[in-house]
Amino acid sequence: MPTVRATLLFGVLGVLAFVLAHPLMWGVTEPPQFPGWDVTRVFWADLVFAREAVAAGELPLWNPHDRTGYPFFAEPQSGMFDPVTWLLVLVALVVGSVPAWMMTVKALAFYGIAASGVAAFLRERLGRVDWAVAVGVLAFVLSPRMDKLKDQSALWPTAWVGWLLLAVDRCMRRPTPRRGLWLGAAASMTVISGYPPGAFRLALLAIPYAVALVVQAVRGSEDPRAYLRELARACIAAAMVLAVLTAGQIWSTSQVLPATERAALELADILASRTRPAHAANVFVPAIEITPLMMYVGFACALGLMASLWRSSTEDFALVLVGVFGFTLACGEHATLLPRLAKVPGFSAFRIAGHYLVLPVTVLALVGPIGLARLAERTRLMPRWPPIVVVGVGLLAFGVFSEQPSPMTVVLVVATAALVLAAAFMDRSIWKRRLGWMIVPVVALDLFVASRPTAKILQPLPDPARGRTMAEAIERSPYFRIADFEWAGNRVGPREGVRDLVGHRPALTDRRYTMLYEAAPMWVSLLQGANVSVVGFPKRAPSPKGDRLEPFAGARGLYRVPNPWPLAFWTRDVAVVPSPEFALAWLQARRQPGAIVEEKTIDTATAERLRSVADVHGDPVAPRLLEQSLHRLVFEIDAPADGLFVVLEGHDPGWRATVDDEPAVVLRTNLIFRGVEVPKGSHRVTLSYDPPGVRALWWLWLLGMLGLCALAVDELRRARAKRGGGSPP
């Protein structure tokens, strides 16, 4: 049984091992290095935005500063239903800002969760065989596949795999409603921690493991019906917790999903991977290629895997099969399995097949130490030839795949091979256990060498002065936005409240936005029609069609956009077109503010009304902006006739509109913006963002988290009472 103290100690061990393996993260370089890629470009700014919204007394439901605005809660990677994210938000509120080092803290927190979860699972299965537990923790945390967790949300759910399998193990072996609650909690963490494909892949691991445990329990039970009744009660409790904690994320994401790029993934996106079947040899030794390298764990775990299969239990065999299945999926187009599954829900929803490598890495890190512990406790568990095969294949793979290996790599490979063979051929368990502790640092060093290419994915922070320069270029005007095509790092860090046409474009980005984004650098009219007044390019501007961009004084690569359209306007220049492609062509040709609505987004009556008010000779009228906040815009407009009121901020079904306090329909206008029909006269137009059900589901999530905290306190009280010799109440 894992204890809280031991679990925390192994969590600390995992974090320290990771920090020691990444010396660049110590801040000793000049300038200091931070996790790069998505962390720098996206997640830091997300945390800043969440903190600023809460400090202003609002839930961060809508982010108006990115991609013309998007539903912040609906993007799973923003982590708005993740307790780790909210803990960081609370810390940021106390600190008063979100320094970049907080993203390093977030990454290390997930490594601590991963290490402690693996330790808890292995101690549940092995007891106090701490050297084997340490091997598993290091093999998981230091594997090059998990190394990417520090800068990609793709692997954040994977940090919970140990806790998920521990909950499955306990609940399936001895089901109770209380254990079902913890199973639901562990499953929920994989869903809400940031990246839905990660949860799907862990389900591929957890479900077969659960089924194997149930089959084994039914076969060994004296009363199978009683066991199945208790299992049903536990599963109902798990499902209830899962529904409470994940309903908000699932509901809000599902509302925007149909219009996004995720809904139209190509087969090539799903199969994309550099992994090939021959890369399976990298289970044993480090190689040069980064993609196969990301699954390397080493001789020790490979031998342990073989030992666990020798007279294996049903559940361990199920895990190994999932590992093989995951590796085959990771081969993408280089194997036949994933193309055949590409039309199955789940397999067809997530791109980058290489992410399935997390399954074999996890299996090696969890099952390998179990087999090693069995080898240490038994003298004749298997014949003598399997260890020779493991080491022989590893050395052969090393000779074939490693080009110009360093002396340290050669020494580590030889040392690991010698230790593994010695441990396998010794008959005295006490000496095997001592060799086990010797294997721990060798595995750590071996993985340290293997993960060098991915360990170096760190970056200094971009120059914040460039971002401020762009913010000051429009003098923080609430009426215009910028378009930063990587001039200041493509939305790096907080945007200081400035609205940006450009942003990170995950798979949940609106497809129409992608059309506009890709065409905008070549068409000044599109920049004007998107309310952009200043645009930046990393080196020099392309040659856009139409009016030329005006160089911005003193800032190379920064340009003014002539005659940008205002944030909002009333117009009778309305057109109803059949498709987004027609809408894009119309916007490219337009020089004055106007409105275009796609026919398939409105009903017949609305289309007829819009056609009846169309008058290309009517001049646009600018409104008065009375109020502007994250979730609310209030305008006053004097409309000379019936027409369409256009707001150049992102459209979303969660936006509601009133005209003089009377409800009005918000139309998708100009591809991605909002439009409201306004009759002749003076009117007050209010737009507010309040997606139905999201606030209620957020409060439901909060109550669920508080309930779990109360359950955790009760568990600790029961454990303390049990250790003290009493019986828990």
Side-chain angles (χ1 to χ4, degrees):
M1 291 288 290
T3 63
V4 174
R5 180 179 299 177
T7 301
L8 291 176
L9 286 175
F10 277 108
V12 172
L13 170 67
V15 172
L16 289 177
F18 184 82
V19 171
L20 291 173
H22 296 76
L24 291 178
M25 295 180 70
W26 303 352
V28 296
T29 59
E30 186 57 43
Q33 303 285 308
F34 293 88
W37 293 54
D38 293 348
V39 165
T40 305
R41 292 183 299 174
V42 185
F43 307 131
W44 179 29
D46 285 348
L47 194 60
V48 171
F49 174 72
R51 182 258 169 201
E52 291 178 349
V54 174
E58 298 188 69
L59 280 176
L61 300 176
W62 179 264
N63 184 351
H65 305 309
D66 185 277
R67 287 173 276 156
T68 73
Y70 70 98
F72 191 71
F73 255 40
E75 174 56 67
Q77 295 179 90
S78 65
M80 285 297 95
F81 290 92
D82 178 20
V84 176
T85 299
W86 280 105
L87 285 173
L88 289 173
V89 170
L90 292 176
V91 172
L93 289 171
V94 174
V95 174
S97 65
V98 184
W101 54 260
M102 287 190 67
M103 295 312 302
T104 303
V105 170
K106 182 173 184 177
L108 294 179
F110 275 109
Y111 280 107
I113 291 169
S116 59
V118 168
F121 174 78
L122 289 176
R123 282 177 66 88
E124 179 83 4
R125 293 290 307 274
L126 299 175
R128 297 178 59 86
V129 188
D130 287 341
W131 65 266
V133 176
V135 168
V137 167
L138 295 175
F140 190 67
V141 171
L142 295 182
S143 68
R145 181 69 233 168
M146 285 300 292
D147 191 273
K148 288 293 290 177
L149 186 149
K150 68 179 184 294
D151 53 64
Q152 285 189 355
S153 70
L155 294 177
W156 289 352
T158 310
W160 293 97
V161 64
W163 295 108
L164 175 63
L165 292 181
L166 174 64
V168 169
D169 194 271
R170 286 186 170 185
C171 192
M172 300 302 110
R173 292 184 192 276
R174 186 184 170 190
T176 65
R178 177 180 284 262
R179 292 187 172 191
L181 295 177
W182 285 119
L183 175 59
S188 298
M189 293 303 106
T190 68
V191 175
I192 61 180
S193 58
Y195 192 66
F200 172 75
R201 290 168 185 130
L202 292 189
L204 296 179
L205 186 68
I207 292 175
Y209 185 64
V211 170
L213 287 171
V214 170
V215 170
Q216 186 175 350
V218 169
R219 287 178 177 176
S221 175
E222 296 180 357
D223 188 351
R225 291 186 178 181
Y227 167 81
L228 291 175
R229 283 195 299 270
E230 289 301 312
L231 180 62
R233 293 176 60 198
C235 289
I236 291 172
M240 291 175 61
V241 173
L242 184 65
V244 167
L245 296 183
T246 65
Q249 188 68 75
I250 293 173
W251 171 258
S252 57
T253 301
S254 63
Q255 298 305 296
V256 302
L257 186 61
T260 65
E261 295 177 0
R262 175 69 73 188
L265 283 179
E266 300 291 338
L267 183 61
D269 297 321
I270 299 170
L271 301 180
S273 176
R274 289 168 45 200
T275 307
R276 292 175 172 83
H279 293 156
N282 298 121
V283 169
F284 302 99
V285 292
I288 296 301
E289 298 179 60
I290 290 179
T291 298
L293 186 81
M294 287 182 178
M295 70 167 295
Y296 170 69
V297 179
F299 288 118
C301 288
L303 179 60
L305 181 70
M306 183 169 286
S308 68
L309 287 176
W310 211 269
R311 302 175 184 175
S312 67
S313 59
T314 305
E315 63 270 23
D316 290 343
F317 188 70
L319 287 178
V320 172
L321 288 180
V322 172
V324 174
F325 178 66
F327 177 77
T328 309
L329 293 175
C331 293
E333 62 183 0
H334 305 297
T336 60
L337 184 58
L338 188 55
R340 293 177 179 177
L341 294 173
K343 294 185 179 181
V344 178
F347 294 97
S348 60
F350 309 128
R351 61 190 182 93
I352 309 179
H355 287 171
Y356 283 103
L357 284 177
V358 74
L359 294 177
V361 167
T362 301
V363 169
L364 283 165
L366 295 178
V367 179
I370 293 175
L372 288 174
R374 294 176 66 195
L375 277 176
E377 295 301 323
R378 302 184 187 182
T379 57
R380 296 293 180 184
L381 178 63
M382 62 167 63
R384 301 296 191 186
W385 60 264
I388 298 176
V389 170
V390 169
V391 173
V393 171
L395 292 174
L396 178 63
F398 180 70
V400 171
F401 290 106
S402 293
E403 302 174 4
Q404 299 179 346
S406 66
M408 178 179 289
T409 304
V410 174
V411 169
L412 282 172
V413 168
V414 173
T416 308
L419 280 174
V420 167
L421 287 175
F425 280 84
M426 278 188 177
D427 289 333
R428 296 185 63 183
S429 295
I430 185 171
W431 285 106
K432 286 187 176 183
R433 287 194 293 271
R434 290 173 180 175
L435 280 174
W437 278 114
M438 292 178 64
I439 287 175
V440 171
V442 173
V443 166
L445 287 172
D446 212 359
L447 289 165
F448 173 77
V449 172
S451 62
R452 286 305 80 207
T454 50
K456 294 177 181 178
I457 301 178
L458 294 167
Q459 301 172 344
L461 289 179
D463 184 2
R466 293 176 69 84
R468 286 195 295 271
T469 298
M470 206 159 195
E472 293 164 357
I474 60 172
E475 299 177 349
R476 294 181 177 270
S477 168
Y479 294 100
F480 297 103
R481 66 166 50 91
I482 63 174
D484 181 6
F485 293 97
E486 300 190 18
W487 186 81
N490 194 8
R491 188 184 179 265
V492 177
R495 270 287 178 231
E496 301 184 30
V498 176
R499 296 155 57 247
D500 193 352
L501 173 70
V502 181
H504 181 68
R505 289 170 289 115
L508 288 184
T509 299
D510 192 308
R511 292 192 298 268
R512 291 176 176 85
Y513 167 82
T514 302
M515 292 174 57
L516 180 66
Y517 166 83
E518 292 177 347
M522 298 301 298
W523 294 86
V524 172
S525 55
L526 293 180
L527 295 171
Q528 292 171 332
N531 184 233
V532 172
S533 64
V534 176
V535 59
F537 299 96
K539 294 182 180 178
R540 55 172 296 179
S543 300
K545 299 179 181 180
D547 297 334
R548 294 287 178 180
L549 299 174
E550 303 167 356
F552 192 82
R556 182 181 178 186
L558 199 60
Y559 301 85
R560 292 192 183 278
V561 178
N563 306 315
W565 294 8
L567 171 65
F569 55 87
W570 171 95
T571 183
R572 289 177 63 88
D573 185 357
V574 182
V576 179
V577 298
S579 70
E581 290 74 20
F582 274 89
L584 183 66
W586 186 93
L587 289 169
Q588 289 172 343
R590 193 63 56 183
R591 291 294 180 270
Q592 293 295 323
I596 187 164
V597 180
E598 297 164 47
E599 192 169 17
K600 62 182 178 181
T601 65
I602 54 177
D603 56 37
T604 303
T606 302
E608 290 302 319
R609 285 198 307 273
L610 293 177
R611 290 190 177 101
S612 68
V613 303
D615 180 4
V616 296
H617 302 293
D619 292 331
V621 176
R624 292 176 292 279
L625 178 62
L626 303 181
E627 182 181 339
Q628 183 181 36
S629 63
L630 295 181
H631 306 131
R632 183 177 169 87
L633 290 167
V634 181
F635 299 93
E636 195 171 72
I637 180 73
D638 294 321
D642 293 352
L644 195 65
F645 185 78
V646 179
V647 180
L648 297 179
E649 286 201 341
H651 179 274
D652 183 79
W655 279 97
R656 302 289 181 264
T658 62
V659 178
D660 299 329
D661 297 327
E662 293 295 327
V665 177
V666 180
L667 307 176
R668 179 183 283 273
T669 307
N670 292 6
L671 278 178
I672 59 174
F673 299 119
R674 307 172 211 148
V676 179
E677 293 181 80
V678 172
K680 179 180 179 180
S682 179
H683 301 286
R684 184 185 181 95
V685 180
T686 302
L687 293 105
S688 56
Y689 188 69
D690 191 15
V694 169
R695 292 181 187 273
L697 291 174
W698 189 86
W699 284 110
L700 181 66
W701 169 85
L702 181 59
L703 290 174
M705 293 303 302
L706 293 175
L708 285 181
C709 291
L711 184 61
V713 171
D714 185 61
E715 290 280 2
L716 291 174
R717 182 174 58 84
R718 286 168 172 260
R720 190 178 297 112
K722 187 175 182 180
R723 288 195 302 270
S727 58

